[in-house]
Amino acid sequence: MPATLLHTHRVEKPWGRHTLWPGFDDPAPGSPPIGEVWFQEPGDTTPDLLIKYLFTSEKLSVQVHPDDDQAHARGLPRGKDECWTVLAAEPDSTIAVGTKTPISHEELRASAVDGTIEDKLYWKPVKAGDFMYCASDTIHAIGGGLTVIEVQQNSETTYRLYDYGSDRELHLDDGIAVSDPVPYQPITSPGRVSDGRTIQVEGPKFVLERWSGREHAVTLPEGKTGWLIPVTGSGSVAGVNFKAGECVTVTGSEQVVLADDADVLFAYSGTTRI
């Protein structure tokens, strides 16, 4: 099918929230908080990318993901580069990315064990509208008070290095082995390339665009899928209507028509824009 409205899967998390984002129903009073919303294709499929919303009330664990080569060496299908588009943030919200200074793997292990790793990370202040690309070997932790859209390689392999004294399992051997404990280097975004079209990131694992305006033509190579994620507003493609809080995949050549108030992300795998 040229366009498919994806299934919405809500994930309960202790660090989640009861106040979500326009387009999502808040969980009922007294029910567990919602931390993540995943968009999943029907059937048993393993697409290249996974799209999520995250709703945080407190800091998530300090973690790292393997890259493709490291994942393949462990019998896994792919690594996990990811990026975050910040939709809303409390005034003191931060995301930890990389270390303040380069440290050795030995120091990384010792600081993960004794808890001083928190102080060795760079906690970057973030606000609504910010964008960050997190390469797979980057040590990171998403802070509290955030609503973000996460676009990632479709892998749930996470090595937890530190979890603030909780009893959850850590993965120090694998996590330290795949970590590059150095200061974060932000990507250079191509930026605005035409009216209503901004390129947030262009490779190495995927491209993420941000659209406004009424119409956008999509021409995807055979076998390639694109993901439309409306932040606000609504639109349609190939006879499928979509609105904020939903996600649609598209293939082939199609015309995307957006409402005047629409703000839409468009993601697809690859190293260059289509």
Side-chain angles (χ1 to χ4, degrees):
M1 295 178 63
T4 302
L5 184 65
L6 299 189
H7 171 68
T8 301
H9 175 60
R10 294 159 69 98
V11 182
E12 297 172 355
K13 293 286 187 179
W15 45 259
R17 296 205 312 265
H18 286 87
T19 303
L20 304 184
W21 179 256
F24 297 99
D25 292 333
D26 292 341
S31 63
I34 298 299
E36 301 179 356
V37 173
W38 298 19
F39 296 103
Q40 298 177 319
E41 296 192 24
D44 186 17
T45 60
T46 54
D48 291 335
L49 301 182
L50 177 64
I51 313 300
K52 297 179 181 178
Y53 277 75
L54 302 179
F55 310 100
T56 70
S57 62
E58 58 188 63
K59 290 185 289 189
L60 278 59
S61 62
V62 177
Q63 53 190 239
V64 67
H65 311 294
D67 63 23
D68 285 350
D69 290 341
Q70 294 163 338
H72 296 160
R74 291 162 170 77
L76 303 168
R78 62 178 66 83
K80 185 179 173 182
D81 278 27
E82 57 192 345
C83 67
W84 305 299
T85 299
V86 180
L87 304 184
E90 296 294 331
D92 58 349
S93 292
T94 57
I95 295 178
V97 280
T99 53
K100 293 176 182 175
T101 61
I103 63 176
S104 68
H105 281 190
E106 291 75 18
E107 183 179 354
L108 176 61
R109 177 182 290 272
S111 61
V113 170
D114 67 19
T116 57
I117 188 173
E118 261 197 282
D119 297 329
K120 295 180 180 180
L121 300 178
Y122 171 50
W123 291 90
K124 176 179 172 58
V126 291
K127 63 185 184 305
D130 284 350
F131 173 81
M132 298 178 68
Y133 188 91
C134 185
S136 50
D137 55 6
T138 305
I139 302 168
H140 62 277
I142 295 178
L146 289 169
T147 300
V148 306
I149 294 177
E150 179 175 284
V151 176
Q152 59 164 92
Q153 287 182 277
N154 190 10
S155 167
E156 283 309 299
T157 302
T158 294
Y159 298 135
R160 195 178 299 115
L161 297 175
Y162 180 69
D163 199 30
Y164 317 104
S166 82
D167 58 0
R168 290 203 299 171
E169 180 185 6
L170 300 180
H171 315 94
L172 294 184
D173 289 342
D174 278 324
I176 290 165
V178 305
S179 294
D180 188 14
V182 297
Y184 172 70
Q185 294 293 324
I187 63 159
T188 300
S189 171
R192 183 174 177 270
V193 294
S194 63
D195 288 345
R197 185 185 184 198
T198 297
I199 309 298
Q200 304 275 58
V201 64
E202 188 172 17
K205 301 303 178 183
F206 52 81
V207 179
L208 182 65
E209 306 189 10
R210 193 159 188 170
W211 293 350
S212 60
R214 289 285 297 172
E215 295 190 19
H216 296 265
V218 171
T219 302
L220 291 155
E222 185 175 356
K224 186 181 287 290
T225 297
W227 283 259
L228 288 161
I229 312 114
V231 179
T232 59
S234 59
S236 65
V237 57
V240 175
N241 296 322
F242 57 83
K243 61 183 184 301
E246 297 178 336
C247 181
V248 172
T249 57
V250 60
T251 58
S253 296
E254 298 294 341
Q255 194 76 10
V256 181
V257 179
L258 303 179
D260 290 338
D261 62 343
D263 176 12
V264 174
L265 300 179
F266 181 55
Y268 46 95
S269 62
T271 60
T272 56
R273 75 193 75 161
I274 58 174

